[in-house]
Amino acid sequence: DSGVTQTPKHLITATGQRVTLRCSPRSGDLSVYWYQQSLDQGLQFLIQYYNGEERAKGNILERFSAQQFPDLHSELNLSSLELGDSALYFCASSARQTETQYFGPGTRLLVL
Amino acid sequence: AQSVTQPDIHITVSEGASLELRCNYSYGATPYLFWYVQSPGQGLQLLLKYFSGDTLVQGIKGFEAEFKRSQSSFNLRKPSVHWSDAAEYFCAVGLDQTGANNLFFGTGTRLTVIP
């Protein structure tokens, strides 16, 4: 158990819908990262927040957005969902920006 | 920009045999290097990491990896594989020019262990 929690574990929705994935980092960790794992793209970095501020952006679509709240939990919002958004979404956290990342168990999203 | 190459998509070894998973990276400076393992249906678990110092790093579950700057490699090794080691292994590099430690992953190597 890494100490990073993600909810929900599984999510099934339809194309065009919007979903929110939630992540609670390890106690004391200030940095949160979001990754997408899909069969065709592999593991890709999406976005990073540090103490509430966006710090780095990867291959994140404009339909996707994220935020980190004062209590340091983070949410990833996916809108106008397409079939190709079906993937495993991981959250990771680290104490500081250059520290080791610890991954949550992931949220498996299926868009039908 | 950094990149990571894991040339072996799938490796099969016998239980008790030794294992080496290859990882090559591309990065201008000394990177942070990681090996993660993902069991079926599970998240990613950190096996070991290299930030600086001794180029041979020990990790959990009996794994080790060696950083070779001249070869831009960070290969993962285990002297004797157990059936429970069957999983997917990802090499990753962190620390790009922005200073953020977002990780770039290789495509993974799936390890099958046969009795």
Side-chain angles (χ1 to χ4, degrees):
Chain A
D1 184 358
S2 66
V4 179
T5 60
Q6 290 186 247
T7 56
K9 272 189 165 181
H10 303 276
L11 199 47
I12 302 175
T13 188
T15 54
Q17 295 298 304
R18 172 190 170 95
V19 297
T20 297
L21 312 183
R22 182 187 169 100
C23 168
S24 293
R26 295 186 318 158
S27 178
D29 282 1
L30 299 178
S31 211
V32 170
Y33 311 77
W34 286 97
Y35 293 85
Q36 179 195 58
Q37 185 180 33
S38 62
L39 284 175
D40 54 344
Q41 299 288 330
L43 260 168
Q44 287 195 107
F45 165 71
L46 295 178
I47 197 165
Q48 179 205 1
Y49 279 82
Y50 179 76
N51 204 19
E53 293 187 7
E54 181 185 306
R55 282 304 171 94
K57 253 184 175 178
N59 296 322
I60 188 166
L61 300 172
E62 284 191 15
R63 299 183 286 108
F64 296 180
S65 65
Q67 54 184 327
Q68 186 179 28
F69 294 86
D71 67 352
L72 301 178
H73 90 271
S74 178
E75 292 181 356
L76 179 67
N77 300 296
L78 315 176
S79 62
S80 303
L81 284 167
E82 302 175 358
L83 296 178
D85 297 327
S86 296
L88 194 51
Y89 291 84
F90 287 110
C91 167
S93 74
S94 67
R96 289 180 293 276
Q97 291 189 86
T98 56
E99 294 284 325
T100 301
Q101 295 179 33
Y102 292 89
F103 283 74
T107 293
R108 186 171 295 280
L109 173 66
L110 180 60
V111 182
L112 300 176
Chain B
Q2 63 266 57
S3 65
V4 179
T5 302
Q6 293 180 250
D8 304 307
I9 296 173
H10 187 199
I11 283 183
T12 300
V13 299
S14 298
E15 192 168 14
S18 64
L19 171 70
E20 182 169 29
L21 302 183
R22 295 183 291 165
C23 173
N24 292 94
Y25 68 90
S26 173
Y27 185 63
T30 300
Y32 291 179
L33 294 164
F34 305 82
W35 276 99
Y36 282 87
V37 61
Q38 185 179 28
S39 298
Q42 302 295 314
L44 293 159
Q45 182 182 23
L46 178 68
L47 284 176
L48 47 78
K49 62 188 178 187
Y50 172 78
F51 283 8
S52 64
D54 192 346
T55 57
L56 183 63
V57 293
Q58 302 297 321
I60 62 172
K61 303 184 180 187
F63 285 93
E64 67 177 26
E66 187 172 11
F67 170 60
K68 293 185 178 180
R69 184 190 303 274
S70 61
Q71 297 177 21
S72 297
S73 69
F74 189 57
N75 294 347
L76 182 72
R77 300 193 295 249
K78 186 169 184 178
S80 178
V81 169
H82 188 261
W83 65 266
S84 61
D85 294 325
E88 185 127 23
Y89 292 79
F90 292 93
C91 180
V93 60
L95 194 64
D96 65 8
Q97 290 83 355
T98 68
N101 194 25
N102 38 289
L103 295 174
F104 290 83
F105 286 88
T107 50
T109 297
R110 180 167 299 278
L111 174 65
T112 297
V113 181
I114 56 177

